[in-house]
Amino acid sequence: MLPWKRLLRPLTALLLTAVVAVVPAATAHAAAPSSGWNDYSCKPSAGHPRPVVLVHGTFANSTDNWLAFAPYLVDRGYCVFSLDYGQLPGVPLFNALGPIDKSAEQLQAFVDKVLAATGAAKADLVGHSQGGLMPRYYLKFLGGAAKVNTFVGIAPDNHGTTLDGLTNLLPYFPGAEDLLSAATPALADQIVGSAFLTKLNAGGDTVPGVHYTVIATKYDEVVTPYRSQFLTGSDVHNVLLQDLCPVDLSEHAAIGLLDRIAFHEAANALDPAHATPTNCASVFS
């Protein structure tokens, strides 16, 4: 075996491990059913007239990614829904690995299902990691802008990631990028400079009619550099978590899984008319 081939598999494994290490494993979906959300009898209130659709990240699922945030929204009177997407044939448990444009089609169908069940004209979307990126394809290319009012991305890789420079090594290993694209298309799509990202970001980051919020942490070790998460557009609110609470040390996983300061800022984006200042004390809100 050629030397580069001996290194190819460890490099690919390292790319996968870097993501798996900081994203909740999708090992308990059947054992941990959602509680209080995905209730298709829920009807939006006058105070919260739009259902909220939660979009999980790479390797995660519709339950584990939202065990803290979904109840947070339900307790505040929202109708909340979450989906699984991006499954690969023969790969159980782990989601969001398929081509991102195809995952966006799954989101399209799910939003239509939620709107039909709730009777709402539009939904709001909140996504973590890949879930903060993939819906932008739905908004831009699949008619989602007509059905979505607000989109909140928590630690999204809007302009790709270098995985702390690790992806820069791929060109030195012939065949590595092809292997990654074939085995886990979504990971390849999220690398800086991918064909998917080039298409998505051509002509501007946003589409008219949708209110965008991005919540990032400077301690993100997966989406690097962290400022690549921010969007440019006329209706964009980019937020750095440490500007709200300097002592918040949340990294890529924690900001989406359990950070109530990030949750508070996301809730502000969903209901700006009743927004309250987000700061370190928001952890108790």
Side-chain angles (χ1 to χ4, degrees), residues 33-38 54 62-78 80-82 256-257 260 263:
S34 61
S35 177
W37 79 95
N38 281 333
L54 305 179
S62 60
T63 298
D64 296 342
N65 209 142
W66 306 115
L67 287 174
F69 187 54
Y72 181 95
L73 291 179
V74 170
D75 289 346
R76 285 155 179 77
Y78 288 91
V80 181
F81 300 86
S82 59
L257 297 180
R260 290 179 69 91
F263 294 175

Side-chain angles (χ1 to χ4, degrees), residues 206-285:
T206 64
V207 294
V210 180
H211 309 295
Y212 294 82
T213 292
V214 175
I215 305 173
T217 171
K218 68 180 182 180
Y219 300 113
D220 199 312
E221 75 284 36
V222 174
V223 184
T224 59
Y226 75 85
R227 291 194 176 278
S228 69
Q229 300 176 33
F230 294 146
L231 295 170
T232 300
S234 60
D235 196 350
V236 172
H237 181 46
N238 291 315
V239 180
L240 182 63
L241 193 61
Q242 285 71 36
D243 287 341
L244 305 175
C245 178
V247 297
D248 192 323
L249 302 180
S250 288
E251 40 64 68
H252 184 80
I255 189 177
L257 297 180
L258 50 83
D259 193 303
R260 290 179 69 91
I261 297 169
F263 294 175
H264 186 273
E265 189 64 9
N268 279 348
L270 296 174
D271 187 9
H274 299 96
T276 58
T278 304
N279 51 44
C280 294
S282 298
V283 71
F284 302 110
S285 64

Side-chain angles (χ1 to χ4, degrees), residues 184-205:
T184 53
L187 295 186
D189 284 347
Q190 294 175 79
I191 293 174
V192 170
S194 72
F196 172 81
L197 288 170
T198 299
K199 176 181 177 179
L200 178 64
N201 293 321
D205 292 347

